[in-house]
Amino acid sequence: QVQLVESGGGLVQAGGSLRLSCVASGLPFNNYAMGWFRQAPGKEREFVAVISWSGGSTYYADSVTGRYTIARDNAKNTVYLQVNSLKPEDTAVYYCAAAPFLFRDHRNLEHWGQGTRVTVSS
């Protein structure tokens, strides 16, 4: 059974930072691309970032490029999302996802975490 468990969300002031983590189990982590999406209230889930199985390739949404960094530790079955220079519009539930291919479209994906909430106050 595949499990993805996110942590690290919270309430932060604009300009602040957080590090989100997602621990995976039940899948061959080293063979899976890992990524993050977010969903704000009343909005569709949107792509944030993805990292290849080796960590050699990363892709970001334009809205977070330069502020967010995705990384992984294959020895710990963990993917991270460092979020800096947070803005109120970054407020959302952040979800971790996994697939045996690189992705940007949430509709193609089978494995999801339960989400971790990030709230940015102005």
Side-chain angles (χ1 to χ4, degrees):
Q1 179 182 356
V2 175
Q3 280 196 309
L4 304 177
V5 180
E6 302 99 330
S7 61
L11 173 63
V12 62
Q13 288 189 328
S17 298
L18 289 170
R19 188 174 82 155
L20 310 183
S21 299
C22 171
V23 179
S25 60
L27 53 77
F29 188 78
N30 290 9
N31 294 338
Y32 270 61
M34 300 295 297
W36 292 90
F37 292 78
R38 66 185 182 185
Q39 189 165 17
K43 294 190 176 181
E44 191 171 340
R45 192 166 296 192
E46 65 172 352
F47 170 77
V48 173
V50 66
I51 187 167
S52 64
W53 65 272
S54 68
S57 297
T58 57
Y59 302 92
Y60 297 91
D62 289 344
S63 58
V64 307
T65 297
R67 300 188 299 122
Y68 288 18
T69 303
I70 190 169
R72 65 190 295 159
D73 184 340
N74 285 353
K76 296 183 178 180
N77 281 15
T78 302
V79 61
Y80 303 98
L81 187 68
Q82 179 68 39
V83 298
N84 298 330
S85 303
L86 282 162
K87 307 174 183 179
E89 52 264 43
D90 294 318
T91 295
V93 177
Y94 284 68
Y95 296 92
C96 174
F101 48 83
L102 285 170
F103 51 84
R104 298 179 73 97
D105 188 342
H106 65 91
R107 295 169 295 179
N108 295 339
L109 304 179
E110 180 181 359
H111 303 303
W112 292 93
Q114 82 289 347
T116 186
R117 184 175 301 275
V118 173
T119 303
V120 184
S121 63
S122 57

